[in-house]
Amino acid sequence: MLISMITSNSPSIESSRIAHSIGTALDRFIKNNQNQFLYASGELSQLLRDIALASKVVNREVNKAGLIDIMGAMGSTNTGGDQQQKLDVLANIRFTRALAKGGEVAALISEESETFVDLNNDGKYIIAIDPLDGSSNIDVNVSIGTIFSVYRRKSPAGMPIQDEDILQKGTEQVAAGYILYGSSTMLVYTTGHGVNGFTYEPTLGEYFLSHPQMQTPESGKIFSVNEGSANSFEKPVKAYIDYCKEKNYTARYIGSLVADYHRNMLKGGIYIYPATAKDKNGKLRLMYECNALAYISEQSGGLATDGKGNRIMEIQPTGLHQRTPFFVGSKEMVEKAEAFNS
Ligand code: AFP
């Protein structure tokens, strides 16, 4: 009797929410799209999987912050003179370990290390990574992120790493992405064929494709900038911010680059970190913060410049921890901000 009742109701179960497909898992997606990579060797796929795995471990730690002793400062500073948080250090260890294990990575550039980390001369890839960006937000339970760029080494594998391998322009990236540890955890990446976003399903321990072929709206109404330093912004930046206010745009600034960028990419907006009196070249790092987001931005229809007419990805790095002013987001908004320079 019970069985016949269920059977008679079953068409609605098939089409109900509980029976909805959960989507494509990241692993399967990477495998299905392997032929899009310039070097279809499977190594880049493995490398992306390694990053995803390390991010799951970091995600677990981030979610436990507050319960165990991983919040707060280490008592040391990183390359930029910022206080190192315990989770910064932990994330750096997790990503370095995961990337070292696979053998695909020759060297790692990290916010947490003064010089590059030499991993394996036989490796073909160079990774630039900010293992945990926005870490001053950890203690107050605000979204944080990981940002990464992947480059192919220039010198032949087997040789010691050269400057030309390390100091590559953003245009040379073969993949880039970020992980946002937010109200849900997302991994967003590009290999130069559009941008795809995956949401982490913690009970299954997997990322699933939730945001296929992401597009930045052409324009938007959100501007994100730390106006606390506005007195020392250059005139064109001040003028653009006044313009945003005249237009009644919405001000949104978390102080966590990945979160601010991600929101603007989805809703339409501009993120600005300009030169200030304190930081003459802005605060953000070209190699492991700006280039990855610039690549993702361009791949999703947006734009990224230094606010002075230079495309971020074309800036030749001269140092691992080089800073640059950063204007990124909806194309029309970045173009408008640039126009205030002329
Ligand atoms: P922390 O990692 O020290 O929190 O810095 C975060 C960050 O690099 C970036 O994520 C923010 O957008 C930016 O700095 C915020 O800087 P301000 O506090 O100067 O606005």
Side-chain angles (χ1 to χ4, degrees), residues 78 82-83 85 88 111-112 130 132-138 143-145 147 225-229 253-261 271-273 276 278-279 283-285 289 323:
N78 67 14
D82 304 326
Q83 274 277 335
Q85 306 292 315
D88 275 333
E111 177 173 36
E112 305 306 326
D130 185 347
L132 212 56
D133 184 68
S135 52
S136 54
N137 281 322
I138 296 168
S143 302
I144 46 184
I147 309 174
V225 60
N226 183 348
E227 272 199 271
S229 318
Y253 188 76
I254 299 173
S256 207
L257 176 59
V258 175
D260 278 315
Y261 172 78
Y271 173 96
I272 300 176
Y273 207 112
T276 63
K278 184 168 162 252
D279 295 306
K283 177 184 176 191
L284 303 180
R285 310 313 179 110
E289 289 180 311
R323 299 173 195 262

Side-chain angles (χ1 to χ4, degrees), residues 29 33 36-37 48 173-178 187-198 209 211-216 261 265 292-302:
F29 185 89
N33 291 284
Q36 288 184 342
F37 302 155
L48 289 169
Q173 291 171 102
V174 293
Y178 60 79
L187 188 153
V188 173
Y189 82 93
T190 183
T191 55
H193 299 270
V195 178
N196 290 289
F198 299 79
L209 180 63
H211 296 63
Q213 288 297 324
M214 299 171 86
Q215 283 295 315
T216 307
Y261 172 78
M265 171 164 68
L293 298 188
Y295 192 21
I296 286 179
S297 182
E298 289 194 9
Q299 281 293 316
S300 62

Side-chain angles (χ1 to χ4, degrees), residues 189-244:
Y189 82 93
T190 183
T191 55
H193 299 270
V195 178
N196 290 289
F198 299 79
T199 301
Y200 186 58
E201 216 297 10
T203 58
L204 298 175
E206 255 299 1
Y207 285 102
F208 289 93
L209 180 63
S210 52
H211 296 63
Q213 288 297 324
M214 299 171 86
Q215 283 295 315
T216 307
E218 280 274 305
S219 193
K221 291 188 169 15
I222 299 173
F223 67 107
S224 309
V225 60
N226 183 348
E227 272 199 271
S229 318
N231 279 348
S232 68
F233 291 170
E234 290 168 347
K235 270 197 184 138
V237 183
K238 281 185 186 166
Y240 178 67
I241 293 172
D242 288 345
Y243 167 84
C244 291

Side-chain angles (χ1 to χ4, degrees), residues 103-158:
E104 292 87 10
V105 182
L108 193 82
I109 301 158
S110 164
E111 177 173 36
E112 305 306 326
S113 318
E114 193 66 47
T115 57
F116 68 83
V117 184
D118 212 342
L119 288 181
N120 172 19
N121 281 347
D122 291 327
K124 295 191 186 124
Y125 294 92
I126 311 290
I127 306 280
I129 190 164
D130 185 347
L132 212 56
D133 184 68
S135 52
S136 54
N137 281 322
I138 296 168
D139 290 0
V140 288
N141 215 346
V142 169
S143 302
I144 46 184
T146 296
I147 309 174
F148 63 91
S149 290
V150 183
Y151 296 86
R152 182 106 174 152
R153 71 182 290 176
K154 299 274 180 199
S155 63

